[in-house]
Amino acid sequence: MRVLQTILFLLLFISTSTQAQSIINVHDRTTTSLNGTWKVLIDPYENGLYNYRLQPFDEMENPGRAAYFTDSKQRDKTELLEYDWDTSPTIQVPGDWSHQKDEFKWYEGTMWYRKKFSYQKQEGNNRVFLHFGAVNYYSKVFLNGEKLGENIGGFTPFQFEITDKLKEENSLVVYVNNNRKPEGIPTVNTDWFNYGGITRDVVLIETPGTFIEDYFVQLNPDNARELTGYIQLNGVVSDQEITIEIPEAGVKFTTQTNTEGKAEFTKKIKKLRYWTPEDPKLYTVNIHSETDLVTDQIGFRTIKTDGPDILLNGKSVFLRGISIHEENPYRVGRAYSEADAELLLGWAKDLGCNFVRLAHYPHNEYMIEKANELGLMVWEEVPVYWTIHWNNPDTYKNASNQLSTVINRDKNSAATIIWSLANETPVSDPRNDFLFELSKLARSLDNTRLLSAAMEVHTEPDNPLEFIVEDKLAEFVDIVAFNEYIGWYNGLPSKLENSSWKIPYDKPVFISEFGAGAKAGFHADSLTRFSEEYQADLYKRSITALQSIENLRGMSPWILVDFRSPRRQLTGIQDGWNRKGLIGDQGEKKQAFYILQEFYRSKASEKH
Ligand code: GCB
């Protein structure tokens, strides 16, 4: 029976995992920003989407003027029209709605956005794409009253070609719904704030008729003297000459596209200055096709594991990490800009990190670009978090779409060394099948990075001090990562002193979370919950205890900065914030920040 179930499930998985692609490296393309002031209509009853018989306007041939996406305006005083975009309020894009207006703070539901814009193509046969960095969570996009399509997932890019749909004056209307859904990725239950809205940049990308849609330029993971990858054209595609050039490295060669517009290559190269945290060298890479040129800044490195070691360019590294949510505490809201990335990653550098875990969903592209520039290795994650619907093929399709979209977006990022499949998911056969399929998908898309997932520890009744990591998932990832909260959710920090570990895998071990809550500026003895002293003591003891794990090759404690979470209601202490940050919501460094900083400084000066 179980075998049959599994086969059926896998068939469903396989038949539902094809994806549409977004153009990569958006920041180096010809773009026009649609960021700025947008009109909004709050629509809890979805009046703009359904008539009073609950029939959806976007599935009707003639939706009529009541549908908000038709952007209609009262014709004369006799017409009854119960919305008016021109007099509706405004909001800034990018940016979540939750913290732009007080009345939107706790709102979960539908909000409509409208932007009017005019656009002139630079050249007659150029093409134009409408690209969204991310919209949380579910969106439908309409241009000049016509539906372009939909997207599910709040942290990944999507786009539509609008070449033939553009007019001189355009009305772009976006339906955004951030309702949490049991079958969603993430599901209804998380420990972060459900910021709604168009949370990342919106741009028009103009390309030549035939353009470089995608490319993968990486070192062969088994041979650092070899460059491998592909270029993918979109348009008139076969028999086109492609030139790849890395001027500073003296690399220049040509290759030819096949009938699908793909040009694969393998090229011997001289030794490069490999990307490392100490020397985050990025090379200018020019890719020319007969009609297009794309320039990117790419670092080159290899990353592998060998038994318990993580080898960066063949040398064992210890990942001095920290977990980060995509939030700017000063603005109280989703982080989305280059300045936000500088703030967050600047703090991580100050802490002595060479690694960041970008939890629990794909962060924006500025974070990835800055990490490449600053020399921070990156763990990227998809929001397969806690208890999701493992048996639902749509849930799998959603997860696999988010995973393949982020891999597609960041596959040339040297900093990105780990794709994480999940966080603290409860062990069961359907969960193992689901994650095994995701792991195969990730490996099929990218063989140049490592896989991991944040797993859990457990104890047996006869020995409550022996912490065990035994999980089928550990067998098909490269790094055995787990979260542990000994001393916070599990006893007091002194419990760490007598703890021992059973982790029966010949693989690197990584502690993806440990931590304790502390309100910045609250001082008491080290047994008082939420005092800085408690948190600092837990950090001291954790650092000592974790080092007794033989295969330990890194950690990313929870978390860099306090972040908003509706689960955290303790008045006067939490006030809606998860207080496990090493930095408070006003940028105050807590005592534990300095404990970890000292440990990381001493680790950095160790010779391997
Ligand atoms: C965890 C979760 C993280 C939470 C954290 C906490 O294990 O992975 O998302 O925020 O614990 O603070 O409880």
Side-chain angles (χ1 to χ4, degrees):
M1 188 59 197
R2 180 145 160 78
V3 174
L4 255 179
Q5 256 179 359
T6 310
I7 291 172
L8 193 72
F9 188 57
L10 294 184
L11 279 175
L12 283 167
F13 278 173
I14 290 157
S15 62
T16 54
S17 59
T18 46
Q19 327 300 335
Q21 283 218 348
S22 280
I23 292 175
I24 63 165
N25 186 17
V26 171
H27 293 161
D28 283 318
R29 308 281 182 150
T30 305
T31 57
T32 302
S33 173
L34 294 183
N35 290 347
T37 306
W38 290 51
K39 294 282 186 182
V40 282
L41 283 171
I42 188 165
D43 190 15
Y45 287 10
E46 305 211 297
N47 210 38
L49 188 63
Y50 296 99
N51 67 13
Y52 81 124
R53 294 287 181 228
L54 215 59
Q55 290 157 327
F57 292 129
D58 65 335
E59 289 172 20
M60 294 177 188
E61 216 164 292
N62 291 310
R65 292 160 59 79
Y68 294 176
F69 56 82
T70 62
D71 192 358
S72 302
K73 185 87 186 154
Q74 192 185 32
R75 282 196 193 110
D76 60 58
K77 65 184 181 189
T78 65
E79 186 186 15
L80 175 63
L81 201 59
E82 295 187 86
Y83 69 93
D84 181 354
W85 276 111
D86 292 339
T87 55
S88 68
T90 59
I91 218 173
Q92 291 303 307
V93 169
D96 60 87
W97 71 57
S98 320
H99 290 90
Q100 292 200 43
K101 289 198 193 306
D102 264 356
E103 66 266 34
F104 295 165
K105 183 164 171 186
W106 292 106
Y107 181 61
E108 293 186 308
T110 291
M111 186 86 75
W112 293 83
Y113 284 67
R114 188 200 72 179
K115 181 85 178 168
K116 290 224 176 204
F117 67 95
S118 52
Y119 192 74
Q120 278 296 321
K121 281 199 285 182
Q122 292 177 6
E123 265 189 48
N125 65 350
N126 276 3
R127 295 164 69 184
V128 183
F129 295 84
L130 170 63
H131 183 96
F132 292 84
V135 178
N136 190 36
Y137 165 82
Y138 171 38
S139 49
K140 298 169 184 261
V141 181
F142 304 86
L143 185 67
N144 302 321
E146 185 188 336
K147 186 170 176 182
L148 299 177
E150 306 194 350
N151 185 67
I152 298 176
F155 303 96
T156 37
F158 57 96
Q159 68 176 35
F160 307 98
E161 178 159 12
I162 56 169
T163 312
D164 301 329
K165 302 180 194 310
L166 275 172
K167 299 182 175 165
E168 238 161 69
E169 286 299 317
N170 298 279
S171 154
L172 173 61
V173 175
V174 187
Y175 158 103
V176 184
N177 179 290
N178 75 330
N179 280 133
R180 288 167 292 126
K181 295 181 197 309
E183 73 282 7
I185 298 288
T187 181
V188 283
N189 193 22
T190 69
D191 186 24
W192 67 83
F193 198 93
N194 181 26
Y195 297 106
I198 303 181
T199 48
R200 294 185 189 158
D201 294 336
V202 186
V203 294
L204 298 174
I205 308 174
E206 183 164 337
T207 71
T210 295
F211 68 98
I212 299 165
E213 178 172 62
D214 188 21
Y215 51 90
F216 193 30
V217 183
Q218 292 286 289
L219 293 181
N220 175 344
D222 299 314
N223 180 359
R225 294 294 191 82
E226 204 169 82
L227 212 56
T228 67
Y230 62 79
I231 315 297
Q232 177 68 54
L233 295 187
N234 181 319
V236 180
V237 290
S238 58
D239 291 328
Q240 301 252 329
E241 187 169 279
I242 307 282
T243 305
I244 297 158
E245 195 190 8
I246 312 176
E248 211 187 322
V251 173
K252 186 172 183 178
F253 60 94
T254 58
T255 164
Q256 207 79 15
T257 59
N258 64 16
T259 48
E260 268 82 55
K262 192 169 192 175
E264 287 175 300
F265 64 85
T266 299
K267 182 77 191 162
K268 294 252 171 295
I269 52 164
K270 291 199 208 107
K271 192 169 185 297
L272 297 175
R273 235 171 93 194
Y274 298 119
W275 186 95
T276 64
E278 297 72 36
D279 178 22
K281 171 69 189 161
L282 300 177
Y283 285 92
T284 299
V285 177
N286 300 318
I287 302 169
H288 307 254
S289 70
E290 289 166 21
T291 53
D292 198 8
L293 162 67
V294 179
T295 297
D296 203 346
Q297 303 297 316
I298 301 182
F300 296 97
R301 53 100 192 93
T302 58
I303 188 84
K304 299 182 76 157
T305 61
D306 181 15
D309 286 320
I310 301 172
L311 303 177
L312 175 68
N313 302 316
K315 290 197 196 108
S316 174
V317 279
F318 185 89
L319 307 180
R320 308 188 307 270
I322 191 73
S323 296
I324 305 182
H325 260 298
E326 189 190 41
E327 283 191 36
N328 180 334
Y330 296 132
R331 203 176 48 239
V332 190
R334 274 266 165 266
Y336 52 74
S337 65
E338 192 172 356
D340 292 341
E342 271 163 11
L343 175 75
L344 294 170
L345 298 181
W347 275 329
K349 285 294 278 188
D350 188 14
L351 186 59
C353 293
N354 62 6
F355 180 85
V356 286
R357 173 185 180 214
L358 301 184
H360 281 298
Y361 37 75
H363 287 214
N364 68 77
E365 276 174 89
Y366 295 108
M367 290 290 276
I368 308 303
E369 286 168 11
K370 276 288 153 235
N372 273 284
E373 285 167 24
L374 293 173
L376 287 163
M377 293 176 275
V378 173
W379 158 308
E380 295 203 53
E381 188 163 314
V382 284
V384 176
Y385 183 92
W386 291 354
T387 309
I388 64 157
H389 284 194
W390 305 109
N391 285 313
N392 183 338
D394 285 339
T395 303
Y396 179 80
K397 186 178 169 194
N398 183 352
S400 65
N401 184 35
Q402 295 191 39
L403 179 65
S404 53
T405 305
V406 68
I407 292 178
N408 182 51
R409 190 191 72 175
D410 295 338
K411 63 184 175 295
N412 293 307
S413 152
T416 305
I417 59 164
I418 295 170
W419 302 120
S420 168
L421 304 175
N423 180 77
E424 288 184 354
T425 50
V427 176
S428 71
D429 286 336
R431 170 270 205 179
N432 293 348
D433 293 344
F434 187 110
L435 294 179
F436 183 53
E437 285 306 305
L438 276 190
S439 77
K440 285 199 300 191
L441 174 68
R443 291 200 196 278
S444 73
L445 294 171
D446 179 13
N447 65 348
T448 68
R449 291 182 178 78
L450 307 175
L451 291 190
S452 193
M455 290 174 258
E456 293 186 312
V457 281
H458 67 272
T459 50
E460 296 293 343
D462 61 337
N463 189 356
L465 288 176
E466 185 188 54
F467 292 91
I468 306 169
V469 182
E470 257 168 353
D471 187 333
K472 188 102 191 113
L473 177 53
E475 291 168 23
F476 48 82
V477 293
D478 302 300
I479 297 186
V480 178
F482 62 90
N483 301 346
E484 62 82 7
Y485 281 92
I486 308 166
W488 185 253
Y489 296 124
N490 181 342
L492 293 171
S494 54
K495 191 169 184 179
L496 282 153
E497 256 165 45
N498 305 311
S499 58
S500 64
W501 306 90
K502 186 176 160 203
I503 309 169
Y505 305 99
D506 183 29
K507 295 187 176 186
V509 170
F510 180 81
I511 316 301
S512 32
E513 288 178 30
F514 70 84
K519 165 105 173 157
F522 172 48
H523 295 287
D525 62 65
S526 64
L527 282 175
T528 305
R529 294 271 176 170
F530 293 105
S531 69
E532 286 199 31
E533 286 72 10
Y534 189 112
Q535 189 191 38
D537 183 50
L538 180 133
Y539 265 73
K540 271 187 217 148
R541 291 173 193 266
S542 299
I543 289 166
T544 308
L546 294 172
Q547 285 184 91
S548 70
I549 300 174
E550 213 188 316
N551 289 358
L552 185 77
R553 291 299 181 273
M555 56 178 74
S556 58
W558 194 253
I559 186 171
L560 183 66
V561 198
D562 289 356
F563 61 97
R564 294 298 313 279
S565 170
R567 298 172 72 85
R568 312 293 172 177
Q569 290 302 338
L570 192 60
T571 306
I573 299 279
Q574 294 175 312
D575 301 313
W577 292 77
N578 183 315
R579 294 289 182 201
K580 295 192 189 72
L582 293 175
I583 297 176
D585 63 58
Q586 299 302 307
E588 322 91 309
K589 290 177 178 146
K590 304 178 194 173
Q591 290 181 7
F593 181 95
Y594 299 101
I595 306 275
L596 189 62
Q597 187 186 54
E598 193 187 320
F599 173 59
Y600 281 170
R601 284 186 178 160
S602 76
K603 268 295 195 200
S605 62
E606 261 176 26
K607 291 263 168 292
H608 283 287

